[in-house]
Amino acid sequence: MRTDLETDWEIPPTPAGLTGRLERFMGPGKSPAESVVEGVGGALCALLLAAGVWSSDALRDWSAVQIVIVALAGLDLVGGILTNATNAAKRWYHREDPRARRGRLVFVSAHLGHLAAMGLLVLDGDWAWLLGNAGLLLAGAVVVEFAPLELRRPVAMAVWTSAVVVNLFWLTVPDALLWFAPLFFLKLLVCHLVPEAPLRRRTAADDRGSVADGLGRAAAERGSADD
């Protein structure tokens, strides 16, 4: 048993209005360290992705609309992978709420729009690629979401690996877009759907609080016994 770690499922309150909706979308209670990793890590990954696409010379053949779609898709996937991997997102999207499962599946299904934009506009109407990946996404999401809880992580990795291999050999794209399928399915099937525990390291303050709580409970029990 790890005594130096604990899970933190407590979701802090969020404000009303647009600010609250944005916090809930990103995951309420994000720590400053998580925000730094998202910002710095996201910027680094986005720069690497942009450099890779630039070096492929694909930009010469793409229209302005295609460039914008590819850029937005790259930023969304990079940012989404990091955001969905945070403790804050895990707490929110996997909270004990009967609506949480529906919310996760709706979130995944909304990304059919990404596939449509890529398949129809960037890949010039590649319906085989679009429908193939739509099927992989929806079937994979159902398999992961309804897998036994203790098996959900390895099931997600098996589904992700299968989707990537299918894309590498049968749903092929130009070299400049080889990153899309691995990042797309990583964000949705692994980072978003796997209910990993929001772990944090215990501190001395936590230990003092536990001792104080224990003393308080003991005192309350003695008082009840005296009554």
Side-chain angles (χ1 to χ4, degrees), residues 11-131:
I11 300 173
T14 56
L18 180 61
T19 301
R21 287 196 294 271
L22 181 60
E23 282 191 29
R24 290 187 291 275
F25 181 74
M26 303 290 287
K30 188 180 300 180
S31 70
E34 286 177 321
S35 297
V36 169
V37 171
E38 277 189 77
V40 176
L44 174 61
C45 293
L47 288 173
L48 289 171
L49 186 57
V53 173
W54 181 271
S55 67
S56 69
D57 293 328
L59 296 179
R60 295 182 303 179
D61 301 321
W62 288 343
S63 67
V65 171
Q66 290 172 319
I67 292 173
V68 169
I69 292 173
V70 170
L72 291 178
L75 291 173
D76 177 78
L77 295 182
V78 167
I81 288 169
L82 298 181
T83 297
N84 281 277
T86 62
N87 279 350
K90 294 298 183 182
R91 274 193 298 266
W92 176 250
Y93 285 107
H94 295 276
R95 66 195 184 278
E96 190 177 4
D97 186 331
R99 298 170 296 179
R101 167 168 283 173
R102 177 180 177 275
R104 290 192 296 270
L105 293 175
V106 168
F107 179 84
V108 171
S109 300
H111 286 72
L112 291 171
H114 291 55
L115 296 177
M118 293 293 293
L120 299 179
L121 300 178
V122 178
L123 297 176
D124 298 322
D126 190 339
W127 282 96
W129 183 91
L130 169 56
L131 296 178

Side-chain angles (χ1 to χ4, degrees), residues 151-162:
L151 297 177
R152 204 165 294 175
R153 184 185 296 111
V155 166
M157 294 307 299
V159 174
W160 174 79
T161 302
S162 300

Side-chain angles (χ1 to χ4, degrees), residues 127-204:
W127 282 96
W129 183 91
L130 169 56
L131 296 178
N133 276 299
L136 288 171
L137 176 65
L138 296 179
V142 170
V143 169
V144 174
E145 183 62 41
F146 290 93
L149 183 64
E150 64 274 15
L151 297 177
R152 204 165 294 175
R153 184 185 296 111
V155 166
M157 294 307 299
V159 174
W160 174 79
T161 302
S162 300
V164 171
V165 171
V166 168
N167 271 270
L168 289 175
F169 288 101
W170 292 282
L171 299 176
T172 56
V173 294
D175 289 349
L177 296 175
L178 287 174
W179 51 270
F180 180 85
L183 299 188
F184 180 78
F185 289 106
L186 175 62
K187 171 188 174 180
L188 299 172
L189 300 183
V190 179
C191 294
H192 186 68
L193 291 182
V194 174
E196 295 172 308
L199 288 171
R200 72 182 184 93
R201 190 170 296 279
R202 290 182 62 85
T203 64

